[in-house]
Amino acid sequence: MTFSQERILQKVPMVCFGTENFKPLFIRFCADLDERYEVSYHSIDADIKKSPGGGVDIWVKKINLMLNAIDKYKNNEYFIMADIDIQCFDGFFEEIERSIKDKDMVFQQENDFQGVNIGIIACRPNSKVKAFWELIKKRVIDVGRWDQAIVNDVLFGFSVGRFKDHGLAVGVLDRKLWNWSSGRIDLDVVCHHANCVSDIASKWTQMDLVQKIMGISREMPDIFDERTFLGVWDLLILGNKESFKVEFGVSGSVKRHRHPNEKYWEYSQQRKALYFLDLRKRVSAAFTHYYYDPHFNRHLLAGEFLHFGTMEFYKSPQKIALYK
């Protein structure tokens, strides 16, 4: 039995984490993952700073999650730890399988010249890998420096481009697992990591652009009709810290909506779009993209809030997500 055939019998753990206001991003992430993965998500309450990777609080919690996963999945061949600002396309699974085959750990590259990015890591749950991350945790706590920078220091030292000897077989994933810090995108990428920005709205914009480049459509399914949307959903204007509840009524009414101008909703099968309407039946928000998460049976609609202020003066549209 080959390595890949064995993997069919044992799902690959995909370990990830996020804060509550990044939940739409997590649903979008899961929508790209098929039945070959076992998704293990950890919701965390942390003070996210504007520094790279979110600050010390996030760095330590991420490393603790890694250490716990090494123990939890000790009977697995390997597991993947990934940020949720990632899109996985056709070929992602196979590229990880090929890369980890003779390695203890493989990382995404940071750019074409040097360094690794810790947004995607495939690890074998062995003692060498655990010792490595225990060392990283100690240094992060001792010096309060960015976890990714410390990982690169430990791996490369002053000899950038050559791994230092830590008794580990470590590799760098192919550029096909692409991120923005790598430079211009190729057309055969199998992954996109929306790094280089920290807020969810900017990440969402990057992901929408790459989706278009890859020719991937996320329009509403043909089977949708008005009954699809009835009930209570969570709504988040991307960039806000808190979501709120929205209830779609059978009469086309919107209940418990925080913005008083939105009174109605309407779904157009022809346009494959869901609209919020004001009292005059004018559009205040439009949802045109749909994502289904098969791992947790969740639905996500994404679009834009047409933002107007007092006296209907125009303001920049805002990314908006509706999910349940």
Side-chain angles (χ1 to χ4, degrees):
M1 185 178 291
T2 67
F3 185 71
S4 293
Q5 287 172 331
E6 289 177 358
R7 194 64 54 248
I8 295 173
L9 302 177
Q10 185 184 62
K11 291 188 177 184
V12 175
M14 177 70 79
V15 182
C16 49
F17 71 96
T19 53
E20 186 64 25
N21 63 318
F22 271 58
K23 185 177 286 185
L25 201 62
F26 174 57
I27 299 173
R28 182 172 183 166
F29 170 70
C30 286
D32 287 332
L33 302 176
D34 60 27
E35 69 282 354
R36 292 174 291 185
Y37 299 97
E38 173 193 332
V39 180
S40 177
Y41 177 71
H42 302 261
S43 180
I44 63 171
D45 181 16
D47 183 16
I48 299 179
K49 306 296 184 183
K50 290 187 177 181
S51 54
V56 175
D57 195 19
I58 292 289
W59 304 335
V60 173
K61 287 185 177 182
K62 182 175 181 178
I63 297 169
N64 284 337
L65 186 58
M66 170 68 80
L67 292 170
N68 291 337
I70 292 170
D71 291 334
K72 180 178 179 179
Y73 299 113
K74 62 184 178 182
N75 295 323
N76 289 72
E77 288 288 340
Y78 73 93
F79 66 91
I80 301 170
M81 186 153 180
D83 293 346
I84 57 173
D85 56 344
I86 285 171
Q87 296 164 289
C88 301
F89 308 127
D90 289 344
F92 175 82
F93 181 90
E94 291 77 10
E95 192 63 36
I96 294 287
E97 290 270 285
R98 181 191 66 78
S99 301
I100 194 66
K101 190 172 183 179
D102 58 351
K103 298 290 191 294
D104 292 306
M105 279 194 299
V106 288
F107 296 83
Q108 186 178 36
Q109 72 166 44
E110 173 64 10
N111 54 54
D112 290 341
F113 308 102
Q114 63 184 34
V116 299
N117 184 291
I118 61 173
I120 303 174
I121 313 167
C123 297
R124 294 194 182 280
N126 59 38
S127 58
K128 292 181 293 184
V129 171
K130 187 173 184 178
F132 174 85
W133 286 106
E134 286 173 341
L135 172 61
I136 298 300
K137 178 181 176 179
K138 184 179 184 305
R139 292 198 180 181
V140 167
I141 293 172
D142 287 348
V143 302
R145 191 171 174 222
W146 184 24
D147 56 347
Q148 180 170 299
I150 289 179
V151 166
N152 277 282
D153 281 351
V154 171
L155 289 175
F156 296 108
F158 296 104
S159 180
V160 176
R162 291 178 53 192
F163 288 117
K164 297 175 71 178
D165 182 13
H166 293 281
L168 286 169
V170 182
V172 179
L173 293 163
D174 192 274
R175 195 183 191 274
K176 290 181 180 179
L177 286 89
W178 181 78
N179 53 24
W180 284 84
S181 54
S182 289
R184 289 193 174 93
I185 186 172
D186 297 298
L187 292 176
D188 62 346
V189 298
V190 299
C191 170
H192 162 227
H193 180 192
N195 66 339
C196 295
V197 291
S198 58
D199 64 287
I200 185 173
S202 297
K203 289 179 181 294
W204 205 275
T205 299
Q206 287 184 347
M207 296 167 91
D208 284 347
L209 174 58
V210 172
Q211 199 164 270
K212 289 178 182 178
I213 291 172
M214 299 300 293
I216 297 171
S217 173
R218 286 293 185 176
E219 65 182 17
M220 306 278 190
D222 292 332
I223 60 171
F224 273 15
D225 59 27
E226 290 190 352
R227 293 170 296 179
T228 306
F229 306 102
L230 296 178
V232 179
W233 295 65
D234 286 293
L235 189 147
L236 179 71
I237 297 175
L238 303 189
N240 289 3
K241 290 186 177 181
E242 296 182 0
S243 63
F244 51 92
K245 300 294 183 183
V246 177
E247 184 174 357
F248 293 86
V250 292
S251 60
S253 62
V254 175
K255 299 178 182 178
R256 294 196 289 175
H257 197 299
R258 184 176 294 176
H259 296 278
N261 292 330
E262 282 74 52
K263 298 296 184 182
Y264 305 103
W265 67 275
E266 183 177 307
Y267 177 64
S268 171
Q269 278 190 317
Q270 180 181 1
R271 298 177 181 177
K272 294 186 176 179
L274 174 71
Y275 302 103
F276 280 158
L277 307 172
D278 65 14
L279 194 58
R280 298 181 181 181
K281 296 293 183 76
R282 294 171 175 171
V283 175
S284 60
F287 300 88
T288 54
H289 291 169
Y290 170 72
Y291 303 86
Y292 175 66
D293 166 14
H295 303 274
F296 300 95
N297 190 29
R298 292 175 304 186
H299 304 267
L300 168 69
L301 307 177
E304 292 190 333
F305 174 46
L306 282 64
H307 198 190
F308 289 85
T310 305
M311 302 297 292
E312 296 204 352
F313 286 118
Y314 170 78
K315 294 183 179 181
S316 297
Q318 295 174 293
K319 297 285 184 181
I320 191 169
L322 192 67
Y323 51 98
K324 70 174 182 178

